[in-house]
Amino acid sequence: MKLEALIRPNIKKMKPYSSARDEYSGADGIFLDANENPYETGLNRYPDPYQREIKTNLAAIKAIDPRKIFLGNGSDEPIDLLIRIFCEPGSDKIITLDPSYGMYGVAAAINNVTVVRVPLTENFELNADEVIRHIDPNVKIIFLCSPNNPSGNLLNKDEVRKIIRMFPGIVVIDEAYIDFSGDPGFLPELDEHPHLVILQTFSKAWGLAGLRIGMTFASPRIIHYLNKVKPPYNINVLSQQKALDSLRNRGKVGEEIRSLIDARSALIKQLAQHPLVEKIFPSDSNFILIRFTAAPAVFAHLIKNGIIVRDRTSVKHGENCLRISVGTEQENEKLLNTLADFKPL
Ligand SMILES: *Cc1c(COP(=O)(O)O)cnc(C)c1O
């Protein structure tokens, strides 16, 4: 299906807000067009609505055309915007995997869009045929998360490609954890698929969860519609400055990623010997999903000792599972010592 036919008609027809910085984007001059306060505070001017400097830097790093980049207030913003662009409230649907990241379903529910949850296998693997079986003309977006949260594994790329080939709507691949996987992800294949959207974020590998900037990579037409519906100044000046600093000094980020991957292996090796650990699911991310013999008791023991992990016992296939983020060396050691101290009744 042509992309234009997938856009909600009201979104296609509407006239977007035109900000002062849309109508004049030059950098020099006397700016009396936006009712800003002229006295300099470092923040008295509105931010660049299209974050051009960040995109230029990011385009070089990711080897991608800057016209294929959209930046949002976290990844959560583009998740919501994509649903609003493509899904008619009250009649359209999205497909998500079960278990997966919760925000796809929440954003759909807010927009009165039905969520079809397709279970992963017991080992959290993607079965493309199972997803394809649930496609109907009202399904407009399929959200895949790879590496998947909360299971931690990369999805099989051929299964993902099968869905991309079969599905006439939009396929979103959330790659929030891709930098921990050693896999290039789907960015190198973006040009082949005008209906593919890739989400990445500054929140995990880049160490900037507090900044709230998510990256979206897609064809220029999809980026055009994201820009059309976004709040005009969705990334504030301070966040833009901080993101630029980080992009320019990214050596440290690479080092941290390598340390976290090493720490993940060490943690898995040691946890595997713990008598209460029943199963450790393979991780391509900065967290590990672990099945314990009695997860609630382990969870309570950790909390009592000031260690907070995520209880995933109630998610699909997550029986007795806790999700643990990889911490610093000292934090991981404290975790292992605290687990070693645990004496089940
Ligand atoms: C953490 C996470 C994100 C990041 O969301 P932000 O809004 O960018 O902080 C996105 N997707 C998944 C699956 C995550 O786990």
Side-chain angles (χ1 to χ4, degrees), residues 72-79 100-104 145-149 174-177 199-204 208-209 212-215 287 323:
N73 183 359
S75 305
D76 295 342
E77 184 176 35
I79 290 169
S100 195
Y101 186 50
M103 275 310 291
Y104 319 129
C145 183
S146 181
N148 187 46
N149 182 2
D174 185 341
E175 297 187 336
Y177 300 97
L199 303 178
Q200 293 184 6
T201 179
F202 280 91
S203 294
K204 306 286 159 56
L208 295 168
R212 311 308 304 132
I213 301 188
M215 309 166 231
F287 60 87
R323 192 195 70 191

Side-chain angles (χ1 to χ4, degrees), residues 139-156:
V139 173
K140 297 294 167 64
I141 307 179
I142 298 176
F143 283 93
L144 306 173
C145 183
S146 181
N148 187 46
N149 182 2
S151 48
N153 57 312
L154 273 171
L155 300 179
N156 180 296

